[in-house]
Every structure is written in structure tokens, then in C-alpha cells.
Amino acid sequence: MMTGRNLSFTLAGLLVSFSCLAQVLSSTTSDSLLTYLRTHASTDTTYVRVMDKVIYTRIYQKADYARADSMSRQMADVANRLNDWFGVVRAYRNRGMVSYLTANYEQALGHFKKTLDVAEQHNLPPSVIYGALSNVAVGYEKVGNDPMVLQTALKAIQLQEQYNLRPRVPTTHRLVGGTLVKLGKIQQALPYYREAGVIFRENGDLRGIAIFENQLGDLYNDIKQPQRALPHFQECLKLGKQLHFELLQFDALDGLATSLRMLNKPGEGLPYAQRALQIAQKEHNKLAISTIYATIATLYQAKKEYIQAEDYLKKALALAEENDYKDERKKFVQQMADLYGEQNKYHLAYAFQLRKNKQVDSATTVRTNAEVQRLVAKYETEKKEAQIKLLQQETLLRRQEAERTRFMLIGSVLLLLLGVAASAWLLNRSKLRRLEEAQTLRKQIAHDLHDEVGSTLSSISLLSGMVNGLIAQNRPEQVERAIQKINTDARQILESIDEIIWTINPGNDSLHRIALRLQEYAQPLMESKGIEFRFTVDASLDQFPVPMEVRRNLYLIGKEAINNLIKYSQATQAVLRFEYQNEQLKILIEDNGKGFEPDPSSQRTGQTSMHQRAQAIGGHLAVQSAPGQGTRLQLVVNP
């Protein structure tokens, strides 16, 4: 969820790229800049830079986002026409900031990516690429893509260190630290936070120092140490007043209220929250208003004053829905479920929990539906193309037959009849083969849906029928367990359908795609167990297409092996490697865990199933292990 605290901290990093422009035009008034744009033609880069300054004022001083976005579009067109790639980068950066400030994070990420593409494509200086990478990392943070946050932010830090770029942007260090906190790696996160503070002081940025104090307060709240958070929020509030920075004062007051609630002092937190609400209303910032409404609701909930808590939370949710603040809406719906659950209003809590689950899974549903529609459209296109080819072939045959009748008599007629018969047989045989392939695919999909989805849906149906009875019997613990089971089963269905669709998708017909799919499956599981995971893949594998059934079996063998490793190995290190040698695909999964004594009769690790799948695709599976010596699994296949 985006809060005022996150917004003010991010702006400290994103505004660095304006510093040079601000110095050049610092003595120029907004009115004179507008006069310049009206009286000059857009024929040089000076015009682009003046537009940039005007847009800057529209965004950060007047909050006129619609006009700022419109001018940024014009700025991009002018800069493109002049081949002013610096101007193009700034134009898309401005559009990204407008989207960011209006909580349209996916769109903001798209604009920030465009700045990076343009900077890299036209070999702009490393400092420009560094700033673009920082902004892209911010965009990934707001859409919740933690792996890409780490990858992009660390790449920016590496670029800065390689070229000793100055001034440094503290945002990248803060993003790495925040992502590591999410992963539970607090000690690894703290050095990055400290370095962010060093960068603020190194730049002599009093505003940045204030924001950093606020961020440290957030960090200590996140790791459940509110007592240590309080002095940082208080310092932030003092600096915010000194700087006349209203947004930052809002952040500090919200943070103080949250810390005091966590310290079981909600009564002391309410005055801070009410002051924050006054600032948000004064600034007409609907996002901040909805955020502080929710904070006030948690304070009243902590005081057991549920009527007031419900009233403020409903206001927060209404604002989030009215303005399409997706992250806030999900959080507030969950808060409503928790609030009703605390009051033993389980029927209302259950309704909001289902609503939350629907919001969380809607993105997956949209992606799945889009993929199904794409597959259907592709199938229809291929079917029409096949019909056209058949018609063309039949037309060609008729022409050939007509030519032969001119020069040949009885023998030509016999040959013609033979040709027609052979062609009909070939066409029928081709149609029969395609029909058999389609029937096989349909049977496979039906089998998978029956095995992996049907039984789970039956379980959900039974549990759903039980919930009303349990609620009527006032058995909240059983209701909660049933709801948790329904949620678990629903997610399992989504995962199963996603795997089925991925398997039949022609776009995944390569060994390289299988490798990436297994990496995506393994990475979060390894991190959850604290296993150091190394993944390597031969780039040439992208050149080798594989049939659907082979692709499915390869994926399921790898998935089974990864699950066994996670469940039983107690390893600290693991390797997944795909390589192509001597016209053979070799897949290696190896760990340094406790190992085991191989037993051909044992079914504990599902080895029988993996061996059968390997044989089905003409491959060979070898498992080597011994107690205390880890496990090595190697699959060799001739693709």
C-alpha cells in the first residue's frame, strides 16, 4: 500500500534529476516561462527545457496533474522531433511522476521503463541511466514485484559505484533495504538504510534527512519496535515544520499515531492522527485522507470503540473505491474483516474476507482469461489458414488435371483418377491425424481438470455448505478453519489451471521456457527456507522446441524434485542447472542436505513417478544420495 510516508521518501530520490534544471532556471518566474512558451517556436532544446520547468511547477507546486500530463505528451513529441533524447527521457519521467502521484502504479512503471529504454538505446550518460534505473525500481516496488525491485535497485547501485556518479540517489539503497525487510532479512537490510542516511547528509539535503528519519521510524514499526520508532518520527516532525513541508508533517504524525497504537496507547495517538487529518484535508489530498481515516479507525479499534472504528474505516474504504486506489482498497477490506471478526460478527467478517480474496485473485483471473482468449484466437486463425491452404491445393490439382486432359487420352484419365484418389486419401489422412491430435489434447486437458480441479471444487462446495451451519451454531473456530481451507483450495485451483494453460500455450514450446518456469517456481520456496539457490541455463536451449507432453513431463519431474528438496533435504545450498551437450538435454538438481539411503521400493519421495515420466519421454533419471552427503538428481533427455 502507498502511504504518505512512502510517497515523500520516494520523491526525495526522484527529484534529483531536476537539480540542474532548477539551478539554471531558479531565477525565472512561472509566468515568464509561460510567456516564453507562448512567444517562441518549438525549434530548439531550450524550448524543451522551459517546458520541463513549467511541468515541474504544475506537478510539485500546483498539483495540476492533468495539465502536467498533457504538457508532458507535447514535450515528448517536440523532443522526439528535435532528436533531443534528454528531453524525451525527462518527458516520460514527468508522465511517470504524474501516474505515480495519482496512484496509477502500473502506468507509472511503464513510463519509467520508457525513460530507461530511451537512455540505453541512445547511449546517454551513465548518470541518466542511473536515475532511470532508480525510478524503475520505485515503480516495481509499487506494483509489488520484489525480485525486480532488488535486481533493478542493485543494478543502479552497481552502476553508480562503477562510474563514481555524484550526486548519489538514496532511493535505491532504501528500496533494497525495504525489500530485504519484507523477506525477513532485517540485519541485511540495516546497512542499506544506514547508507541511505549517509547519502542524504552527503548531499546536504535537509529535506532528505527529514524523510530518512521518517523512513527509519517506519522500519522500526515494521519490525515491531515502536518504542525505537518514536524519536525518529519526532525528529521528522520537527524538521518538517522547519521546512514547511506539509506532506512530511502528515507522514510523521501518522507514524507517531501508529507507534502509539502498537504501544497500546491509542488514546495518546488520536491527537496526532487528528492533526494529520487536518493537514490532509487542507491539502485536498484524497489519498492521504483515506490513509489517515484508516489509521484513526485502528486507534478506535484498539480502544474497543467499535462504532467509531467502523465509521472511519467505511469512510476510508469509500474514498479508496471512489478514486480506484487498488492497494488501499485491498488493505481496508481486510481491516473490515478483522474488525468484524474481533466483534464476533462472523457473517460480516466472512463476507469481507471473500471480497478481499476476490480482489487478490482478480489479477490472476484477468491474466488467465486473456491467455485463454489469445489461444482461442490463435487456434481460429490457424484453422482458417489451414482451410485456405487446402482450397489452394485443391485448385492447383484441378488446374493440373485440366492441363493433362489436353495432351493425354485414356492413360491421362486413369492417371488423373489415380491422382484424385491419392490426394483425397492424403487429405483424409491429414484431417484424421489433426483430429486425433485434437482429441488427445482435449482428453489430456479433461483428465487434468478432473484430477487437479474437480476434487478440489467438490471440497470447496462441501465446506461452503458447512459454513452457514457452523455460523448458526456459533462455532467461530470451526468457521475460521473452514474459511482458511476454502481459501487454500481456491488458490490451489488457480495454480493448477495456470499450470494447465501454461502447458498448452504454444508460446512455451522451448526448453528455455521450461527452465525459467522452474526457476520461478523454485526461487520463492528456496528463499522461504533460507536456502542459497543458484540457477544456470544454457542460452542455446531457446532454439529447441518441444512437444506439449514432453514439456509437461519435464516440468512435473523438476517440480517434484524441488518439492522433495524443500521438504526433506534440510539443505543450505541448492543448484538447478539446464545445459545442452552432445545433442542431449541435461537437467541437474543438487543440494548439500542430509541425504538418504536410496531404496528402490520406497515411494516416499515420489521417485517412481519421476522415473515413469522420464521413461515416457525417452529419458533417463539418475538419483545419487547418501546420508550426510546431499542429493544429486540428473535427468538426461534427447530433445
Side-chain angles (χ1 to χ4, degrees):
M1 166 183 160
M2 187 185 98
T3 67
R5 298 189 293 279
N6 289 335
L7 176 59
S8 61
F9 190 95
T10 302
L11 288 179
L14 293 173
L15 289 180
V16 169
S17 55
F18 286 104
S19 58
C20 294
L21 177 66
Q23 291 170 9
V24 173
L25 300 173
S26 58
S27 61
T28 309
T29 67
S30 177
D31 290 340
S32 63
L33 292 172
L34 288 171
T35 301
Y36 179 92
L37 293 179
R38 286 195 294 267
T39 56
H40 288 74
S42 55
T43 57
D44 56 34
T45 57
T46 300
Y47 188 92
V48 175
R49 274 134 189 80
V50 172
M51 286 190 76
D52 194 20
K53 181 60 177 177
V54 173
I55 293 167
Y56 173 86
T57 303
R58 293 283 180 181
I59 295 175
Y60 300 104
Q61 295 180 14
K62 298 184 179 180
D64 186 357
Y65 300 133
R67 180 57 178 156
D69 186 64
S70 175
M71 291 188 68
S72 296
R73 292 172 185 266
Q74 297 174 26
M75 178 179 169
D77 292 340
V78 174
N80 265 306
R81 189 173 70 248
L82 298 173
N83 293 329
D84 177 10
W85 307 120
F86 289 94
V88 174
V89 166
R90 291 186 178 117
Y92 280 106
R93 177 210 55 207
N94 292 340
R95 296 199 66 195
M97 281 310 308
V98 169
S99 298
Y100 184 93
L101 291 168
T102 53
N104 194 336
Y105 305 130
E106 291 284 357
Q107 191 175 81
L109 177 59
H111 292 316
F112 290 148
K113 283 183 176 180
K114 182 66 174 179
T115 68
L116 181 59
D117 291 342
V118 173
E120 291 181 335
Q121 180 181 354
H122 296 283
N123 296 317
L124 297 187
S127 59
V128 178
I129 297 175
Y130 173 46
L133 281 168
S134 301
N135 291 351
V136 170
V138 169
Y140 278 126
E141 181 197 33
K142 302 318 298 179
V143 301
N145 191 335
D146 291 338
M148 289 306 298
V149 172
L150 280 177
Q151 178 179 321
T152 310
L154 288 172
K155 184 177 179 181
I157 293 172
Q158 183 182 20
L159 186 69
Q160 182 277 322
E161 292 173 348
Q162 179 183 352
Y163 292 98
N164 193 28
L165 300 174
R166 290 293 186 275
R168 294 193 291 169
V169 178
T171 306
T172 50
H173 289 80
R174 196 273 304 175
L175 288 174
V176 173
T179 305
L180 291 172
V181 168
K182 287 183 184 179
L183 298 174
K185 300 178 181 180
I186 308 300
Q187 295 305 317
Q188 292 177 249
L190 286 174
Y192 286 97
Y193 276 113
R194 294 192 189 101
E195 188 64 19
V198 170
I199 295 171
F200 278 125
R201 291 175 175 82
E202 165 186 298
N203 294 338
D205 182 359
L206 187 60
R207 176 177 294 199
I209 294 170
I211 295 172
F212 177 67
E213 289 293 334
N214 187 77
Q215 185 65 22
L216 280 179
D218 282 343
L219 171 62
Y220 284 120
N221 274 350
D222 288 341
I223 62 178
K224 312 302 181 187
Q225 296 182 21
Q227 191 65 52
R228 298 184 67 180
L230 286 173
H232 294 289
F233 286 130
Q234 289 164 349
E235 179 66 15
C236 173
L237 181 59
K238 182 181 75 173
L239 292 172
K241 291 178 179 178
Q242 180 181 339
L243 293 163
H244 304 289
F245 191 172
E246 295 276 8
L247 180 61
L248 189 56
Q249 293 177 53
F250 169 88
D251 295 343
L253 290 166
D254 189 20
L256 285 166
T258 300
S259 297
L260 290 167
R261 175 184 58 78
M262 296 172 70
L263 290 168
N264 296 320
K265 299 179 181 179
E268 296 180 27
L270 271 171
Y272 291 112
Q274 293 293 351
R275 286 168 58 188
L277 177 59
Q278 291 173 4
I279 292 174
Q281 291 172 334
K282 173 185 173 184
E283 296 293 316
H284 304 289
N285 190 320
K286 293 182 180 180
L287 180 60
I289 293 171
S290 67
T291 298
I292 199 63
Y293 275 158
T295 299
I296 294 173
T298 63
L299 293 168
Y300 278 118
Q301 183 177 349
K303 295 179 68 179
K304 309 298 182 184
E305 298 178 13
Y306 296 122
I307 295 177
Q308 294 92 328
E310 183 176 345
D311 180 54
Y312 274 102
L313 196 49
K314 284 181 177 178
K315 291 178 181 178
L317 183 56
L319 269 177
E321 290 179 334
E322 176 186 340
N323 295 279
D324 197 27
Y325 300 146
K326 296 181 178 62
D327 292 340
E328 284 72 17
R329 186 170 66 239
K330 286 186 287 188
K331 180 181 178 181
F332 299 158
V333 168
Q334 183 64 61
Q335 283 184 236
M336 290 293 290
D338 295 341
L339 177 61
Y340 285 128
E342 188 173 315
Q343 300 175 72
N344 297 326
K345 297 180 179 179
Y346 296 110
H347 61 292
L348 293 173
Y350 176 60
F352 274 95
Q353 189 65 56
L354 287 180
R355 183 174 168 185
K356 165 69 182 307
N357 295 340
K358 183 178 180 181
Q359 289 174 350
V360 170
D361 294 334
S362 62
T364 301
T365 303
V366 169
R367 289 195 299 269
T368 301
N369 289 340
E371 181 64 14
V372 170
Q373 292 173 2
R374 190 187 69 79
L375 289 171
V376 170
K378 185 172 182 179
Y379 168 73
E380 293 295 336
T381 300
E382 291 177 346
K383 183 171 70 174
K384 289 179 180 178
E385 289 176 351
Q387 291 173 345
I388 290 172
K389 288 181 179 179
L390 286 174
L391 289 173
Q392 290 174 339
Q393 290 176 353
E394 291 173 356
T395 300
L396 179 61
L397 285 173
R398 284 196 294 270
R399 288 177 178 174
Q400 292 174 345
E401 292 165 5
E403 286 292 328
R404 290 182 183 126
T405 55
R406 296 177 184 177
F407 303 103
M408 303 179 67
L409 298 174
I410 298 175
S412 298
V413 173
L414 292 175
L415 289 174
L416 175 61
L417 293 174
L418 180 60
V420 171
S423 298
W425 181 78
L426 288 173
L427 289 172
N428 286 334
R429 181 181 178 186
S430 176
K431 290 178 181 178
L432 180 60
R433 183 166 59 252
R434 288 196 300 274
L435 180 60
E436 289 174 347
E437 290 173 353
Q439 290 288 358
T440 301
L441 178 59
R442 290 173 61 187
K443 288 179 181 178
Q444 181 64 56
I445 294 173
H447 179 269
D448 290 342
L449 289 173
H450 179 271
D451 287 356
E452 300 185 27
V453 177
S455 60
T456 310
L457 285 174
S458 298
S459 172
I460 290 176
S461 177
L462 291 172
L463 288 169
S464 300
M466 291 170 55
V467 167
N468 288 334
L470 293 171
I471 292 174
Q473 297 170 24
N474 195 21
R475 297 167 66 183
E477 293 182 358
Q478 288 87 342
V479 171
E480 183 178 358
R481 285 197 295 270
I483 292 173
Q484 290 175 348
K485 175 63 176 171
I486 290 171
N487 290 339
T488 301
D489 288 349
R491 292 184 181 281
Q492 180 181 340
I493 288 175
L494 285 173
E495 291 175 2
S496 298
I497 292 176
D498 180 63
E499 287 186 2
I500 292 171
I501 292 175
W502 183 87
T503 301
I504 66 175
N505 185 354
N508 296 321
D509 284 347
S510 74
L511 295 172
H512 193 266
R513 295 288 293 176
I514 298 170
L516 293 180
R517 178 78 173 183
L518 282 174
Q519 182 196 18
E520 292 173 358
Y521 178 78
Q523 189 78 46
L525 294 177
M526 299 291 182
E527 291 177 355
S528 69
K529 292 291 186 178
I531 299 174
E532 181 184 338
F533 179 55
R534 289 186 294 114
F535 170 80
T536 58
V537 58
D538 191 333
S540 64
L541 293 180
D542 202 30
Q543 304 173 5
F544 298 101
V546 290
M548 181 191 73
E549 190 59 31
V550 174
R551 182 168 74 249
R552 172 180 169 80
N553 281 311
L554 285 176
Y555 175 69
L556 291 177
I557 291 171
K559 182 178 177 182
E560 178 71 23
I562 291 166
N563 284 334
N564 289 339
L565 190 156
I566 295 296
K567 291 180 182 177
Y568 307 117
S569 72
Q570 300 180 11
T572 60
Q573 297 178 347
V575 174
L576 173 58
R577 184 162 65 244
F578 281 73
E579 55 187 24
Y580 188 76
Q581 297 177 350
N582 301 323
E583 298 185 353
Q584 288 184 325
L585 169 66
K586 295 182 180 180
I587 304 174
L588 173 68
I589 302 176
E590 188 173 17
D591 66 69
N592 67 342
K594 66 179 184 179
F596 61 93
E597 190 69 46
D599 181 2
S601 63
S602 173
Q603 300 297 316
R604 179 176 64 87
T605 60
Q607 290 186 39
T608 300
S609 173
M610 289 192 289
H611 279 289
Q612 289 174 348
R613 291 188 182 280
Q615 292 173 1
I617 59 177
H620 173 70
L621 181 68
V623 180
Q624 299 175 355
S625 184
Q629 298 183 19
T631 302
R632 175 187 173 91
L633 181 149
Q634 186 176 50
L635 174 65
V636 179
V637 182
N638 293 315

